[in-house]
Amino acid sequence: MGRFPLLSLGGFLLMYPALLVAAPAEDVRLFVRDATRNGHLRLPGRFWHITDLHLDASYHLADDPTKVCLSSKGAPAANAGPYGDFLCDSPYSLIQSAFNHMNHMTPQADFIIWTGDSPPHVPAFELSTDLVIQAIGNMSETIRDHFPTLPVFPALGNHDYWPQDQMPGSANAIYQAVAKLWAPWLQDEALRTLCEGGFYSQLARPGLRVISLNTILYYGPDKATANDTDPAGQFLWLQGTLERAAQNLEKVFIIAHVPVGYLPFTRDVTAIRKRHNERLVYIFRKFSHVITGHFYGHTHRDSVMVLLDEEGKPVNSIFVSPAVTPIKSVLEPYSNNPAFRMAFYDAKDFSLLDIWQYYLNLTEANERRRADWRREYVMSEAFGLEDLRPQSLLQLALSFRLPQATSFDKYFSHFMVSYDERIRCRDACKLNQVCAMLHLDHRGHSKCVRGRSLQDSNVLL
């Protein structure tokens, strides 16, 4: 049998790579279940999604809690420990512990997507172009050291530029620097468009293309592109790339830092500029038969969305992954525990099957002085879903409308990455969350949030 030993579990006799034998029993059981969906044996594809590392190299344990990290901006990090504090960005020890855990997890991934933001949340005068490049380089090298053989598909975040948010729609020092840093992972054509506009596309495996968008070009605070209808020509490039993918019978994963759609924690605010959001939604609807999944970061929270077409039919599944950094401002009522995830997809049609979310209880890790990363939840099991295809996510979102739906409390706890289960999201908070899940365009979203409650809001178009 060579390196593929036989493994018998739950009545199934399967051939798996030797590496899988070391997996925890629960992980193997879930993997077997995903591999045998609908009675057919087919190993699912899988990839890691990491985002918002936000390394704060200044982090150290100090007698003065206001001096622990620059990212707290003078607020006292009173609960600082070896793996960080909720008022600080990530110490290097936290990031290393995450990668160490990923590296020992089985089954191993096909590739990694990394959706941006390496530098910390500090005032602009604390950074420079060179320091931003240094932070991205540090994280790139750390990922490569831990995963020397895995393909990595990165995307640029709004902090991956100096000054932050001000990404131009033309070639610059940072685009050129990251092209050099990411050259071991990307091919020549991808590097060319990365140098010119901070975006690229590349095949991840036969039949599956990753398109990495630079959504910072559409980000509201970006003054450099505020008056551009198509910054860096990315819309034109995106449509052409999707058309060629359709012609070549490829499926596409969209990755980017700032997500499409509306923010779930506020009212009627898009993550990117509204006019650019409308155009992206139009393109994504037009090519929904080509796109099988969207993966974003930026919000630091765990959320899902389902793209509906103009008739209200679910056509795309969208996932926003929570951050590795646990940072929050002193004014925020909650934060997130550090997290990363593994996503599983159908190896035939590349649709999404499941997500395994891993997290670190930061308070516990600091108390025990040990980083015990563990699985927070399996999405299909947590919500009783067959898979994570658009129809399943639509049914999940619609179930949250019911007043007695306790599953929404579970969803909101995951939204915070188990930060504090005592915090509840009710009334306007819940309305914002569910409308953001269901409506990515202005017409549908405004109609949804105008309802005084989920019961009298017109959720479907």
Side-chain angles (χ1 to χ4, degrees), residues 139-156:
M139 292 297 90
S140 300
E141 184 177 350
T142 300
I143 292 170
R144 219 164 10 249
D145 285 347
H146 283 82
F147 308 99
T149 62
L150 273 189
V152 179
F153 299 101
L156 285 166

Side-chain angles (χ1 to χ4, degrees), residues 73-380:
K73 302 178 180 68
N79 299 305
Y83 296 100
D85 184 275
F86 285 111
L87 293 179
C88 295
D89 271 319
S90 304
Y92 193 61
S93 57
L94 173 63
I95 295 170
Q96 280 191 310
S97 74
F99 292 158
N100 284 337
H101 190 80
M102 290 167 61
N103 206 20
H104 290 95
M105 285 298 300
T106 52
Q108 263 302 346
D110 303 326
F111 53 87
I112 296 171
I113 63 172
W114 170 28
T115 49
D117 270 8
S118 293
H121 296 82
V122 296
F125 63 80
E126 297 285 358
L127 294 173
S128 65
T129 294
D130 287 344
L131 288 174
V132 166
I133 293 170
Q134 190 177 105
I136 300 171
N138 188 328
M139 292 297 90
S140 300
E141 184 177 350
T142 300
I143 292 170
R144 219 164 10 249
D145 285 347
H146 283 82
F147 308 99
T149 62
L150 273 189
V152 179
F153 299 101
L156 285 166
N158 57 303
H159 285 266
D160 296 328
Y161 196 81
W162 189 84
Q164 71 177 56
D165 307 330
Q166 305 308 311
M167 279 195 181
S170 57
N172 58 78
I174 286 183
Y175 291 173
Q176 293 169 357
V178 296
K180 291 180 181 178
L181 291 169
W182 298 343
W185 298 323
L186 302 179
Q187 297 167 359
D188 288 346
E189 177 57 22
L191 294 171
R192 183 187 68 78
T193 56
L194 181 61
C195 281
E196 293 173 355
F199 52 83
Y200 65 87
S201 85
Q202 184 166 303
L203 280 176
R205 56 183 296 177
L208 176 63
R209 179 169 297 276
V210 170
I211 293 181
S212 178
L213 294 179
N214 181 0
T215 50
I216 319 309
L217 299 175
Y218 313 135
Y219 192 42
D222 190 352
K223 297 177 183 177
T225 60
N227 298 319
D228 292 353
T229 56
D230 187 7
Q234 185 173 223
F235 284 132
L236 184 62
W237 171 86
L238 174 61
Q239 291 194 89
T241 303
L242 288 168
E243 286 169 358
R244 286 190 294 277
Q247 292 166 4
N248 295 331
L249 303 180
E250 297 168 352
K251 296 298 183 181
V252 167
F253 285 169
I254 299 289
I255 72 170
H257 183 68
V258 182
V260 69
Y262 284 75
L263 295 172
F265 46 77
T266 188
R267 177 62 57 92
D268 197 32
V269 177
T270 48
I272 58 176
R273 298 184 195 100
K274 287 189 176 181
R275 70 180 190 278
H276 290 137
N277 183 70
E278 291 296 300
R279 190 162 178 184
L280 266 187
V281 168
Y282 171 80
I283 294 172
F284 292 156
R285 281 173 169 165
K286 181 179 179 181
F287 291 97
S288 60
H289 62 294
V290 179
I291 301 166
T292 57
H294 299 244
F295 308 93
Y296 302 97
H298 181 62
T299 68
H300 296 199
R301 305 291 186 261
D302 178 354
S303 60
V304 302
M305 294 176 273
V306 55
L307 177 64
L308 307 178
D309 66 15
E310 292 181 346
E311 285 72 46
K313 177 185 175 183
V315 292
N316 266 182
S317 300
I318 298 168
F319 305 90
V320 181
S321 180
V324 171
T325 185
I327 195 171
K328 76 178 191 72
S329 77
V330 292
L331 299 177
E332 289 181 281
Y334 55 82
S335 185
N336 63 283
N337 279 304
F340 58 81
R341 57 179 40 172
M342 179 176 275
F344 288 79
Y345 61 92
D346 189 300
K348 185 176 181 180
D349 66 9
F350 305 108
S351 59
L352 269 292
L353 299 176
D354 219 339
I355 283 175
W356 296 2
Q357 176 101 336
Y358 295 89
Y359 84 115
L360 181 70
N361 183 318
L362 184 60
T363 303
E364 180 185 277
N366 283 336
E367 289 173 352
R368 297 181 178 181
R369 306 185 70 81
R370 187 177 70 243
D372 292 327
W373 290 83
R374 54 184 179 265
R375 192 171 57 241
E376 183 190 16
Y377 72 97
V378 173
M379 190 171 288
S380 64

Side-chain angles (χ1 to χ4, degrees), residues 12 14 16 31-44 346 348 353:
F12 295 106
L14 304 174
Y16 283 109
F31 188 65
V32 169
R33 183 205 64 189
D34 285 343
T36 56
R37 285 178 187 270
N38 302 320
H40 301 292
L41 172 59
R42 183 166 61 235
L43 298 184
D346 189 300
K348 185 176 181 180
L353 299 176

